[in-house]
Amino acid sequence: MNTSNSHALFLRAQRSIPGGVNSPVRAFRSVGIDPIFLKRGEDAHVWDADGNKYIDYVGSWGPLILGHSHPKVVEAIQKQASIATSFGAPTELEIELAELVKELMPSIDLLRMTSSGTEATMSALRLARGFTGREKIIKFEGCYHGHGDSFLIKAGSGALTLGAQSSPGVTQGTAKDTMNANFNDLPSVENLISANRGEIAAIIVEPIAHNSPSILPAEGFLEGLRAICDGYGTLLIFDEIITGFRHALGGYQAICGVTPDLSTFAKAIANGYPMAAVAGRRVLLERLNTTAAGDVTFAGTYNGGAISMAAALATIDVLETEPVHEHLFRLGDRMRDGLRSIAADLDVPAVVSGYGSLYVMLFMEGPLESYDDVVRNDRELFVAYRQELVRRGVLEMPENIGRNHIMFSHTDADIDTALEVSQAALTATLRRRGHRT
Ligand code: PMP
């Protein structure tokens, strides 16, 4: 495969953009190759700067639930663009979207919109802290909530109360206020919260730990978090930035039956347009500073921007009127089952993790129950396999353990092709490593 144009663009990009990319993982460093520069997308396919065509399982990292340039979304944004792109003033479009989301999710009385997932999670934390008057939060190892300072804290060296900064530039003060528990481990949460009684504003969790990748909540785990939060006057925040709208119109909260105090949404809500939201109970959201009672700051020039509103309304309309989730779950099952058979036929230990339209194959013995288990993934094999997939026209996430995304525009034929390519790629990779196949 000729990727000389991508290579030249990468060299050029590095002269004006740090590392040549605007978000670090896009550099494909975890896959050990130069980034592929993309030029065009259509349905479930993308073309790179050299004209190579790929089946796309990155899906813009989650937003493209319907696929590239879905005609109904394109029509809605073109129509809106010809009227106005952005006002910085309230619009009826925002009300329509807010009313729609409220109807879909009973936990939501009010929502405030913004542009990115990071802004949503960061603001949800500020709101939780403002409301409770407490400063500390608990998050989970392996969950990702964006690049807000409070989230760039990893577990410290055994101390119950002290995290460690995972990025230079994050202050020790922030580290002191962020604690890490283990996903699916209620005692680890109970220990932290009882040692910091009256100090924990919120527990924030991805209800499925898709960044770990795709570890499902054990039976009773989310219910247990709800009960702990109720017991300690702590708020429960579901980060539904991946799960929301992707798994069900009512979010994962509709599937698991656990009601959070606050939720955050982004990605699939607008099929690729910058749109995110913090949502939840009236008494909480009313603290945001446009109401008489409000005092917690949460602002933004692009919040509720007209193009994003039009995109979200059109996306939700398709999700409501076409059998999107049924298609996504069916193709997801096909992909996961197919990958499991390929690994079994080739006699290579593998865990195929995922839920609904998300999947990832890790090369390790099971079970995969917590982020710690991921260390058993054979990284060398994983990297070589993903490189081989790219060379053969299947684009998966350029991330260490990243889950991949199936879109509504993927067809059964796209799954068949991806499975054939996966089989060939894994066979070739194993042969090169001297594995008899
Ligand atoms: N929360 C979750 C669960 C995410 O996966 C991400 C991004 N992958 C974010 C928050 C941050 O969203 P954004 O990249 O839009 O800031």
Side-chain angles (χ1 to χ4, degrees):
M1 176 182 278
N2 173 20
T3 52
S4 54
N5 287 344
S6 270
H7 183 67
L9 287 171
F10 188 40
L11 293 178
R12 183 176 150 205
Q14 287 171 82
R15 292 199 286 273
S16 53
I17 297 170
V21 290
N22 273 316
S23 191
V25 258
R26 287 182 203 166
F28 275 67
R29 252 174 274 148
S30 311
V31 188
I33 54 175
D34 283 353
I36 309 289
F37 279 66
L38 297 180
K39 219 167 167 175
R40 188 165 81 82
E42 188 182 306
D43 299 330
H45 297 94
V46 286
W47 285 259
D48 70 14
D50 293 273
N52 301 306
K53 180 182 178 184
Y54 306 83
I55 311 182
D56 181 16
Y57 291 98
V58 175
S60 190
W61 292 67
L64 296 183
I65 186 167
L66 302 178
H68 289 273
S69 303
H70 188 281
K72 288 192 177 153
V73 181
V74 170
E75 192 192 331
I77 63 146
Q78 281 177 340
K79 196 168 146 219
Q80 183 56 47
S82 69
I83 301 169
T85 50
S86 174
F87 296 104
T91 63
E92 192 174 350
L93 286 170
E94 295 163 282
I95 311 175
E96 275 177 43
L97 182 60
E99 288 174 348
L100 195 54
V101 175
K102 262 166 62 90
E103 245 171 62
L104 294 168
M105 297 188 206
S107 74
I108 296 173
D109 300 318
L110 296 174
L111 59 152
R112 162 82 44 97
M113 292 151 197
T114 185
S115 304
S116 70
T118 296
E119 288 170 286
T121 51
M122 211 178 69
S123 309
L125 278 197
R126 185 181 301 137
L127 177 53
R129 286 175 165 143
F131 180 80
T132 58
R134 303 172 179 184
E135 298 200 341
K136 293 179 178 170
I137 59 131
I138 295 177
K139 67 178 189 68
F140 293 88
E141 280 290 293
C143 285
Y144 178 72
H145 304 290
H147 65 102
D149 282 5
S150 295
F151 302 116
L152 299 180
I153 305 293
K154 53 188 187 238
S157 50
L160 268 183
T161 50
L162 208 58
Q165 301 99 309
S166 61
S167 165
V170 176
T171 65
Q172 280 185 5
T174 304
K176 174 177 75 49
D177 288 335
T178 303
M179 278 164 281
N180 284 271
N182 299 319
F183 194 79
N184 278 338
D185 180 356
L186 286 174
S188 75
V189 181
E190 189 76 57
N191 286 346
L192 285 175
I193 209 160
S194 59
N196 293 275
R197 196 175 284 271
E199 293 185 82
I200 310 287
I203 296 177
I204 183 165
V205 66
E206 289 182 74
I208 297 179
H210 278 309
N211 283 293
S212 279
S214 294
I215 298 177
L216 287 170
E219 214 183 310
F221 176 63
L222 297 174
E223 291 80 352
L225 291 184
R226 179 70 274 171
I228 290 174
C229 283
D230 290 344
Y232 287 88
T234 291
L235 298 175
L236 180 60
I237 306 174
F238 275 4
D239 179 349
E240 293 234 41
I241 281 166
I242 294 181
T243 53
F245 300 89
R246 176 163 283 277
H247 296 325
L249 274 161
Y252 192 68
Q253 51 200 273
I255 296 172
C256 70
V258 175
T259 305
D261 298 297
L262 290 171
S263 306
T264 52
F265 301 101
K267 298 200 189 256
I269 192 172
N271 204 53
Y273 289 83
M275 163 63 201
V278 176
R281 292 197 282 124
R282 174 173 294 277
V283 65
L284 297 169
L285 272 287
E286 270 183 347
R287 288 295 294 267
L288 299 179
N289 58 6
T290 46
T291 66
D295 51 1
V296 177
T297 297
F298 176 3
T301 299
Y302 297 112
N303 291 3
I307 296 281
S308 296
M309 295 300 100
L313 285 166
T315 302
I316 295 176
D317 185 53
V318 178
L319 296 178
E320 281 187 316
T321 53
E322 296 186 37
V324 178
H325 293 108
E326 187 192 319
H327 182 79
L328 293 179
F329 273 79
R330 190 175 64 75
L331 294 197
D333 283 341
R334 280 203 59 209
M335 184 71 107
R336 286 185 294 274
D337 289 347
L339 290 173
R340 281 186 196 112
S341 319
I342 289 168
D345 288 348
L346 293 171
D347 198 24
V348 58
V351 170
V352 179
S353 175
Y355 180 82
S357 47
L358 304 184
Y359 72 94
V360 60
M361 176 156 67
L362 299 181
F363 298 109
M364 55 181 269
E365 300 284 354
L368 172 60
E369 285 168 347
S370 86
Y371 186 60
D372 290 344
D373 294 328
V374 174
V375 294
R376 301 202 306 275
N377 182 31
D378 181 340
R379 253 196 68 66
E380 236 179 76
L381 176 56
F382 183 84
V383 167
Y385 167 68
R386 283 226 165 151
Q387 286 180 1
E388 201 58 46
L389 285 181
V390 175
R391 282 186 208 113
R392 291 166 189 255
V394 169
L395 205 57
E396 291 202 343
M397 294 279 275
E399 235 196 333
N400 199 358
I401 52 167
R403 81 274 158 207
N404 303 294
H405 306 84
I406 295 172
M407 310 182 277
F408 188 43
S409 54
H410 281 115
T411 60
D412 277 286
D414 291 322
I415 303 297
D416 293 339
T417 308
L419 288 171
E420 276 163 33
V421 171
S422 300
Q423 166 123 41
L426 188 54
T427 306
T429 311
L430 290 170
R431 283 208 183 117
R432 269 206 309 277
R433 285 162 51 113
H435 189 293
R436 248 184 283 136
T437 54

